[in-house]
Amino acid sequence: MSKYLDIRSAHVRATWVMQVTRNNPDRKARSQMSSTPDQATIELSENWVKALANIDLFLEICVEDCPVWHSADDKWVSVSEAVAAVYERAGDGAVPDFRPEGITFTEKGFFNEASVELEMGGQPVKLHLVQIVEARDGKAVSVREYIGPEMGIQP
């Protein structure tokens, strides 16, 4: 089990988030405790991590009409189209080996952090992914995936 996903303590641990609201007259950031996830959302997050290694599992853990958005192409597609695109990009090679980095639960579901090392244009590239998953009744109902390359721009 990932050191970031400790199910035993998920119910007793809360994530503090900073939120600035427009109806906050002094416009100061204030902390707000996120909700504790229900068991179905915890199980979905566990299966989400498993699906990083078994891409077809996404078809089972998402509702059939789950919209998926990727920052790489700024398009909404169905979950089945997103899964097919992974295989298409892999071609005759193996599906990329995604490395789970951690799960953070939110009021509407969770976000998953992952990374993957690929070869693009003959050069090795490490990509970081943040997947924002909206969950309902133990299934993903909407997914937004932000993808960013590691660029080494720090001095």
Side-chain angles (χ1 to χ4, degrees):
M1 178 182 301
S2 167
K3 66 180 179 181
Y4 297 101
L5 181 61
D6 182 358
I7 299 307
R8 293 178 307 253
S9 64
H11 287 293
V12 296
R13 192 177 60 230
T15 303
W16 288 92
V17 294
M18 297 305 290
Q19 180 182 47
V20 177
T21 58
R22 291 200 161 168
N23 48 351
N24 181 359
D26 58 9
R27 301 228 186 247
K28 290 184 180 174
R30 55 186 172 161
S31 61
Q32 175 181 326
M33 190 181 300
S34 69
S35 61
T36 302
D38 60 16
Q39 187 60 35
T41 301
I42 291 170
E43 290 172 8
L44 174 61
S45 72
E46 291 174 325
N47 285 325
W48 197 269
V49 171
K50 291 175 187 173
L52 291 173
N54 177 6
I55 300 300
D56 290 327
L57 184 55
F58 284 114
L59 298 171
E60 297 176 31
I61 63 175
C62 297
V63 294
E64 188 175 335
D65 62 346
C66 178
V68 179
W69 178 83
H70 295 106
S71 67
D73 56 12
D74 192 25
K75 288 191 332 188
W76 285 95
V77 297
S78 69
V79 67
S80 59
E81 291 170 316
V83 167
V86 171
Y87 287 114
E88 185 179 322
R89 276 188 232 100
D92 293 331
V95 171
D97 184 21
F98 294 95
R99 193 177 98 203
E101 303 284 347
I103 294 281
T104 302
F105 293 101
T106 66
E107 192 172 302
K108 293 183 178 182
F110 58 91
F111 66 85
N112 177 62
E113 297 172 75
S115 63
V116 64
E117 294 184 24
L118 305 169
E119 192 170 298
M120 299 175 88
Q123 299 294 317
V125 176
K126 184 173 185 179
L127 299 177
H128 298 273
L129 296 82
V130 175
Q131 300 162 318
I132 301 170
V133 180
E134 185 176 340
R136 191 173 312 118
D137 300 324
K139 296 266 191 173
V141 297
S142 177
V143 179
R144 289 175 289 150
E145 181 176 77
Y146 294 86
I147 306 166
E150 197 167 277
M151 299 187 300
I153 57 174
Q154 297 297 323

